[in-house]
């Protein structure tokens, strides 16, 4: 409806400006939207990509995500449609679905991922590729994105050393513990993801690159035909080959997972 375009764009701009502050709250959203009718609010949330931006924030909370989804139920199936420079700013691909963003963001609670999965189960079957070509973004299904959280990453930061010259630091982001229930929900929602490759391989290969691995997770990520152990699986990059070799080459474990290695031997 053309009558909605003006108010919806006005509210969308307010929501984007508010999201730039970073710490989006339930109360803050209510204050911004209180003078607008429901249909304008829904249109503005979709147009402003508020849900996607919130999901990419280090301050994302379940109550805010739930509130946005309740106000705009279709937003969970929407994709980001913003200028490329803003996509870089938010570290989002310009067509990255909300569930992928939640799975990639290491600060996003698993409760948010589970909520989105329950509301939009078909989103687990959406494949995505980071067309902006940034390092460290695997693409693939939400399962691939979530498993990437366990991999230790380097971040390239520019900083001033006091002389006016820029120096480059390479701080590490440690890998995270993976939540078994979240992985199980993602697998059940899209079993085909188990044998689908992303940049670092299939889910089992990605798991073997991570800092934490358990026998329970390894069993969960094994497909019925055990195609995940195919020797041809992996990457063209040196050292990123099939799961067993990845496991042996991974030096980020606190202690080597002998039980997982034995399991791989049994499956080979």
């Amino acid at each position: 409806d053309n009558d909605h375009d003006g108010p919806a764009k006005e509210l969308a701009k307010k929501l984007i400006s508010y999201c730039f502050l970073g710490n989006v709250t339930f109360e803050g959203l209510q204050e911004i939207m209180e003078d607008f009718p429901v249909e304008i609010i829904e249109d503005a949330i979709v147009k402003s990509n508020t849900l996607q931006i919130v999901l990419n924030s280090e301050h994302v909370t379940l109550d805010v995500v739930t509130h946005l989804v309740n106000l705009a139920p279709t937003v969970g199936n929407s994709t980001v449609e913003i200028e490329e420079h803003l996509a870089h700013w938010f570290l989002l691909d310009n067509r990255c679905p909300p569930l992928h963003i939640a799975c990639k963001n290491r600060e996003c609670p698993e409760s948010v991922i589970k909520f989105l999965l329950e509301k939009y189960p078909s989103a687990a079957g959406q494949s995505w590729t980071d067309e902006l070509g940034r390092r460290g973004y695997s693409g693939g299904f939400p399962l691939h994105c979530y498993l990437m959280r366990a991999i230790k990453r380097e971040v390239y930061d520019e900083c001033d050393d006091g002389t006016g010259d820029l120096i480059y630091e390479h701080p590490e982001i440690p890998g995270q513990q993976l939540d078994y229930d979240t992985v199980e929900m993602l697998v059940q929602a899209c079993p085909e993801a188990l044998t689908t490759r992303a940049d670092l391989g299939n889910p089992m290969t990605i798991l073997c690159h991570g800092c934490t691995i358990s026998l329970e997770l390894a069993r969960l990520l094994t497909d019925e035909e055990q195609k995940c152990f195919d020797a041809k699986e992996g990457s063209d990059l040196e050292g990123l080959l099939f799961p067993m070799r990845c496991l042996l080459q991974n030096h980020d474990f606190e202690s080597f997972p002998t039980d997982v290695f034995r399991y791989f031997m049994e499956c080979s």
Side-chain angles (χ1 to χ4, degrees), residues 150-152 173-176 207 209-213 250 252-254:
I151 298 179
K152 184 170 66 176
I173 298 177
Q176 290 183 341
L207 182 70
H209 280 290
C211 297
T212 60
I213 184 173
N250 189 341
D252 294 327
F253 298 123
E254 290 185 7

Side-chain angles (χ1 to χ4, degrees), residues 39 61 105 157 229:
E39 61 272 15
T61 60
N105 182 6
D157 288 340
F229 296 108

